[in-house]
Amino acid sequence: MSVVVDGLEGLRVPEELSARVPAEQRGPGRGRDDVRLLVSRGEAVSHHAFRELPALLRAGDVLVVNTSPTLAAAVDGRLGPEPGGEPVVVHFSTRGDDGRWAVELRSPEPSGSTRPRAGGPAGAVVRLPGGGRLALAGPLTPGSGRLWWARAYGDVPGLLGRYGRPIRYGYTERDQPLSAYQTVFARPSPDGGGSAEMPSAGRPFTAGLVAELAARGVWIAPLSLHTGVASAEAHEPPYPERFEVPAATAALVNAARAAGGRVIAVGTTVVRALESAAVAGPVGAGASARAGRGWTDLVVTPARGVRVVDGLLTGLHEPEASHLLMLEAVAGRAALRSAYAAAVRDRYLWHEFGDLHLLLPEEEGHRVRCGSNSG
């Protein structure tokens, strides 16, 4: 899937703008919320500290957050017959309803990160620590060999808990403990499931900041969407992912909207879940949130638009990432162009340990809807 956002084709993010360590490790006395916040209201941008978020919202707004916990989803293995075999790193992405797992095989790097590797072959067996086995079946999506369905022999949650580590990419400086990848909103999943990669928009929140939001009358509503491995490398749309929107969250979102409050999604995963469960209907014409659970393959684009989301708090995405189509659907093309130019110019930091971007409606009380903002 090609991503075409007019005005971003030539945008280049300098390598030095990659956040290599968590904010709290960048200096004495720093905390998770010591990141910057770029705010977009239409084409207007303003610059803030993330701790200013409560002052940028208003009583009656709802922040919808993802409670999916991050898994220690990377495990070393060997592909092929004993005693040798090719060393690989298995990224456990998503558990299917039939017990199989969607996995990505990557090649280890001496630095501790990994590099892409072709998937398969079908029928091959990956030997895992503790005597576990993983039998490769076939590609998750026909024509794309990066993620494969595999049958795991052994207790995968137990395997990850004992031998796994968080997925790490080459722009990071070193391995981090799993706690560095958990948000304050994360809650254990009864079946041991979770996200292969952190729902990173929630990372800068602290208990103190949540308390301040509540004191200002900002509601916080939970849902879950278990994210798979990132797809930006291959410029692919997101793969199907499991989600659940509780009835209480849907009711709170609808009540807030009826009272003139704004629904702000904390992360692209929240947009995907809310919009997947939304009542079908014309965009902007009586659409409402509803409870729902299951699998979603929804890709939010400007043509599809958004039905229940008014704003979005998210990280900064690579210029080729499919998530940018969602941002354009929420805020409009002009807003996106202006914000990303400012982010590069003012040296905001990218990726999961980086700075945040808050996209708000251009005018008070105006609900952004695709069709009027596609630019």
Side-chain angles (χ1 to χ4, degrees):
M1 179 178 184
S2 298
V3 177
V4 180
V5 178
D6 184 28
L8 295 187
E9 301 93 334
L11 181 70
R12 294 293 177 265
V13 181
E15 186 177 345
E16 63 268 21
L17 297 187
S18 294
R20 303 193 182 281
V21 296
E24 61 271 25
Q25 296 178 18
R26 294 180 202 146
R30 293 179 65 94
R32 280 183 172 231
D33 53 358
D34 279 306
V35 295
R36 299 168 72 191
L37 180 64
L38 179 70
V39 178
S40 295
R41 293 182 179 87
E43 294 185 63
V45 298
S46 57
H47 305 277
H48 305 265
F50 184 76
R51 288 172 178 165
E52 297 176 53
L53 178 65
L56 295 167
L57 302 177
R58 63 191 187 210
D61 286 345
V62 179
L63 286 176
V64 186
V65 302
N66 189 355
T67 62
S68 177
T70 307
L71 301 175
V75 179
D76 293 325
R78 285 196 173 267
L79 180 67
E82 297 186 68
E86 175 193 354
V88 294
V89 178
V90 181
H91 287 177
F92 284 83
S93 179
T94 307
R95 183 164 70 176
D97 291 336
D98 61 359
R100 295 185 303 171
W101 282 80
V103 301
E104 179 187 21
L105 299 188
R106 294 177 68 93
S107 298
E109 292 275 27
S111 64
S113 64
T114 60
R115 65 180 183 275
R117 174 198 179 280
V125 173
V126 180
R127 289 175 279 123
L128 301 171
R133 294 287 190 275
L134 197 65
L136 301 177
L140 181 66
T141 302
S144 175
R146 193 169 66 92
L147 281 181
W148 281 58
W149 282 118
R151 178 70 62 182
Y153 297 92
D155 172 25
V156 173
L159 173 80
L160 301 184
R162 186 171 181 183
Y163 300 106
R165 61 186 180 276
I167 289 175
R168 174 192 163 198
Y169 292 114
Y171 51 78
T172 56
E173 186 175 290
R174 56 182 177 269
D175 285 343
Q176 297 288 341
L178 184 58
S179 59
Y181 291 87
Q182 299 294 8
T183 74
V184 71
F185 305 114
R187 294 295 179 267
S189 179
D191 63 359
S195 290
E197 298 185 6
M198 171 177 56
S200 55
R203 189 184 191 279
F205 285 85
T206 63
L209 188 67
V210 171
E212 185 178 350
L213 287 163
R216 287 177 175 263
V218 176
W219 296 90
I220 295 181
L223 57 73
S224 67
L225 184 141
H226 296 325
T227 66
V229 297
S231 56
E233 290 173 357
H235 314 305
E236 299 160 338
Y239 289 98
E241 294 166 323
R242 282 194 297 141
F243 77 98
E244 181 175 3
V245 178
T249 290
L252 181 56
V253 165
N254 291 331
R257 286 166 56 83
R262 299 171 297 182
V263 177
I264 312 297
V266 179
T268 58
T269 61
V270 170
V271 177
R272 199 178 193 206
L274 279 176
E275 295 293 327
S276 295
V279 175
V283 173
S288 59
R290 67 176 178 184
R293 62 186 303 175
W295 289 84
T296 177
D297 59 1
L298 176 66
V299 179
V300 178
T301 66
R304 188 268 183 192
V306 289
R307 290 170 166 80
V308 297
V309 171
D310 300 303
L312 172 61
L313 177 68
T314 184
L316 292 162
H317 303 281
E318 292 292 344
E320 301 86 2
S322 59
H323 289 310
L324 289 179
L325 294 175
M326 179 186 293
L327 271 63
E328 185 180 347
V330 171
R333 182 177 299 167
L336 200 56
R337 286 198 305 258
S338 179
Y340 271 66
V344 172
R345 182 180 63 245
D346 289 277
R347 304 188 66 76
Y348 277 69
L349 295 181
W350 258 252
H351 302 304
E352 67 267 31
F353 297 137
D355 296 318
L356 274 291
H357 181 199
L358 176 62
L359 300 98
L360 290 174
E362 187 171 0
E363 299 174 355
E364 287 289 310
H366 171 66
R367 296 193 179 279
V368 175
R369 289 291 178 262
C370 187
S372 62
N373 62 20
S374 56

